Amino acid sequence: MEGGAASTILSPVVVTVRAPRQGRCTMANDEWSRPTTEQLTHAKSQALLALQTERSGWRLRRYYDTAGDYAGASFATIGTNDASVIAADDLFAVTLLSVSIPAGAARLLTEPGGSSDTVNEALRALPTESLRDVEDGGLRDMETFYRRVKAALAKAGVENSNPWVTASKLCARKRPDLLPVRDNVVCALLGLLPKGNYQVDWQVFRHLMRDQEVLDAIEAAAETAMQDADGTLVVIDREPLRILDAALWCSVIMPDRVEATA
């Protein structure tokens, strides 16, 4: 953009680009589904394509523009977002990502007793590390939390209700550094559909967050979005995992710009 007032930026992104740690252990038994080498390679390729600054800069700027209607950083920051419990502000935040919360599920997740107690217990038991530093044992704790959230979100009286997208978004709201937003758009782009398996998906995202090239691309994309704001009030997520998800989603939802010809 040319002209206009100087850009105003809130909450500048802080991306830590430490080198991936070596020698991580694997699970004691291999009952979890594992991503293939081809899946990991394809996911990295798609991530780097989506993060190219000439493609991601304007998309992220639009996504995080506070005057627009995209969720942007409000998804993680709106309300209190108490780290120890799921509350009404968390359910509202999730609706900003174009999903609905059934009334029965809202009661189960926020009223004392029953599901809310077991869900919040699992929330508090999550590993303190970000996804890139989580050992395989921590994936088990993530699984417990995710499955309890998904069970609580199931529609009453609907057989085989599978609210995996809504559950993923609510989990990501509570721990945006640990649990990625999984939906059909992002999973398809990364080559993780049609099967859709959270065990594979999390390991793929962990692989991406341990890749220095991907981390550098996330940082560059965020910096480009902020530098070219030109009067736009931009609030960008602080967590690299959230920025990656936003870039992936936007690369599909927002078509490439077509330059005007003379």
Side-chain angles (χ1 to χ4, degrees), residues 196-241:
N197 183 326
Y198 65 87
Q199 296 177 351
V200 170
D201 297 354
W202 291 345
Q203 292 172 85
V204 168
F205 273 98
R206 184 175 65 173
H207 173 77
L208 295 176
M209 298 311 297
R210 289 176 174 177
D211 188 289
Q212 194 62 54
E213 189 177 5
V214 173
L215 292 176
D216 290 344
I218 292 171
E219 183 177 30
E223 289 178 352
T224 300
M226 293 190 293
Q227 289 170 355
D228 298 336
D230 279 345
T232 301
L233 185 60
V234 177
V235 182
I236 293 187
D237 281 299
R238 292 181 176 273
E239 297 298 339
L241 180 60

Side-chain angles (χ1 to χ4, degrees), residues 2-262:
E2 296 184 4
S7 61
T8 304
I9 308 298
L10 295 183
S11 300
V13 62
V14 178
V15 181
T16 302
V17 288
R18 296 167 294 166
R21 291 161 53 188
Q22 303 297 320
R24 299 177 184 274
C25 62
T26 57
M27 293 181 181
N29 60 67
D30 204 33
E31 63 189 53
W32 263 42
S33 300
R34 298 287 181 168
T36 65
T37 300
E38 290 75 16
Q39 284 178 311
L40 297 176
T41 300
H42 177 76
K44 177 180 176 178
S45 175
Q46 292 294 90
L48 291 176
L49 181 63
L51 288 165
Q52 288 178 349
T53 54
E54 65 271 18
R55 302 187 72 233
S56 63
W58 67 270
R59 286 187 169 94
L60 291 177
R61 187 162 54 254
R62 183 180 176 191
Y63 183 74
Y64 288 109
D65 179 359
T66 58
D69 282 331
Y70 288 108
S74 298
F75 170 67
T77 61
I78 198 167
T80 303
N81 199 357
D82 188 324
S84 62
V85 297
I86 290 177
D89 63 307
D90 300 312
L91 304 187
F92 171 72
V94 169
T95 67
L96 299 180
L97 297 185
S98 303
V99 294
S100 61
I101 306 292
R107 288 188 287 271
L108 287 174
L109 287 166
T110 60
E111 294 179 355
S115 295
S116 67
D117 288 346
T118 59
V119 168
N120 291 330
E121 178 185 32
L123 169 62
R124 292 188 288 269
L126 288 173
T128 58
E129 304 93 339
S130 64
L131 181 60
R132 72 184 306 278
D133 290 325
V134 166
E135 306 288 353
D136 284 347
L139 294 176
R140 301 286 191 186
D141 296 325
M142 293 164 58
E143 177 181 47
T144 298
F145 177 55
Y146 167 73
R147 294 182 68 172
R148 289 180 183 180
V149 167
K150 190 172 78 164
L153 285 169
K155 291 184 178 180
V158 177
E159 188 177 0
N160 298 322
S161 176
N162 183 23
W164 68 275
V165 171
T166 306
S168 295
K169 292 179 177 181
L170 182 52
C171 289
R173 154 73 176 184
K174 300 310 299 179
R175 285 294 304 277
D177 63 326
L178 179 66
L179 287 143
V181 174
R182 299 167 52 244
D183 64 9
N184 287 294
V185 172
V186 171
C187 287
L189 178 65
L190 295 180
L192 301 175
L193 292 179
K195 291 186 177 180
N197 183 326
Y198 65 87
Q199 296 177 351
V200 170
D201 297 354
W202 291 345
Q203 292 172 85
V204 168
F205 273 98
R206 184 175 65 173
H207 173 77
L208 295 176
M209 298 311 297
R210 289 176 174 177
D211 188 289
Q212 194 62 54
E213 189 177 5
V214 173
L215 292 176
D216 290 344
I218 292 171
E219 183 177 30
E223 289 178 352
T224 300
M226 293 190 293
Q227 289 170 355
D228 298 336
D230 279 345
T232 301
L233 185 60
V234 177
V235 182
I236 293 187
D237 281 299
R238 292 181 176 273
E239 297 298 339
L241 180 60
R242 280 290 301 129
I243 298 171
L244 171 62
D245 172 72
L248 292 170
W249 186 82
C250 289
S251 73
V252 177
I253 297 300
M254 301 178 190
D256 282 322
R257 286 176 165 174
V258 178
E259 298 296 336
T261 57

